[in-house]
Amino acid sequence: MLFRSLTNVFMAALYWLAFGGRFRDGLAKWTLSFGVQGLTWMLFALRDTLPDLLTVVLANALLVLVWPLQIAALMEFRSRSLSPWKLWAAPAATLAVLLTPPMQDFISRVIVISAIAGAGAFWVCAQFIRERAACSWRTNILMIGSSFAAGSLFVIRGLSAWLAPHSIQA
């Protein structure tokens, strides 16, 4: 997880350096998504060192924020905008759900977060399929493939936790 964290922070820094700190046309949100993802993996790696409120609840809400940030960036690349409620609704709902008393056991959290994060990944995939004419063929294949793979992995993770809770480590 540390490697993933460093990779994402490094990518955000490279974008910032490459564009001289001048972000426009969605690049700021795209770069921020890398930074948020880096922070997320860092918090996951610090589990059992920091409180669960940070390493589980906040980290998962940040993970869910990555998808709307990427959608917002994609829309800005096409001179459109994403309404603020679509940007913040999923992370806010994730925080609300994870802070409820029934979500205090680890398996329930894994199932819920896997469903929310998987839906977010499939949302990104659907946006790229819908908007495919505006990007190069290779970009579309890369983004559709990676977001579909991420969504599939989240769904498999959630189903594994639901069907075989003993297979998920707390």
Side-chain angles (χ1 to χ4, degrees):
M1 281 198 224
L2 182 61
F3 180 74
R4 287 197 68 163
S5 176
L6 293 175
T7 301
N8 281 283
V9 171
F10 182 69
M11 287 298 295
L14 279 178
Y15 276 133
W16 184 76
L17 289 172
F19 293 94
R22 294 182 307 274
F23 295 117
R24 58 181 176 73
D25 301 332
L27 195 56
K29 286 184 177 78
W30 195 261
T31 302
L32 182 60
S33 77
F34 278 115
V36 168
Q37 204 168 32
L39 178 60
T40 298
W41 297 121
M42 200 174 303
L43 287 170
F44 284 148
L46 292 171
R47 186 141 188 256
D48 296 329
T49 304
L50 296 175
D52 276 359
L53 184 63
L54 295 174
T55 61
V56 176
V57 177
L58 180 62
N60 279 299
L62 289 173
L63 178 64
V64 170
L65 176 62
V66 169
W67 307 117
L69 281 172
Q70 289 181 350
I71 293 293
L74 177 64
M75 297 200 53
E76 281 185 26
F77 291 151
R78 290 165 180 78
S79 300
R80 294 194 314 244
S81 63
L82 183 69
S83 65
W85 78 267
K86 285 184 179 178
L87 182 62
W88 297 107
T94 302
L95 279 174
V97 167
L98 289 178
L99 290 173
T100 61
M103 286 297 128
Q104 298 311 307
D105 75 284
F106 185 74
I107 299 300
S108 296
R109 286 178 177 167
V110 169
I111 293 168
V112 169
I113 288 303
S114 296
I116 294 170
F122 287 129
W123 183 31
V124 171
C125 183
Q127 286 296 112
F128 268 95
I129 290 170
R130 198 175 111 218
E131 303 286 338
R132 68 184 174 276
C135 292
S136 74
W137 180 82
R138 280 179 275 192
T139 302
N140 277 313
I141 295 300
L142 176 68
M143 293 308 297
I144 291 168
S146 62
S147 57
F148 183 80
S152 299
L153 288 173
F154 279 116
V155 167
I156 290 168
R157 178 182 177 226
L159 286 173
S160 296
W162 181 50
L163 296 172
H166 60 279
S167 67
I168 304 294
Q169 296 179 359

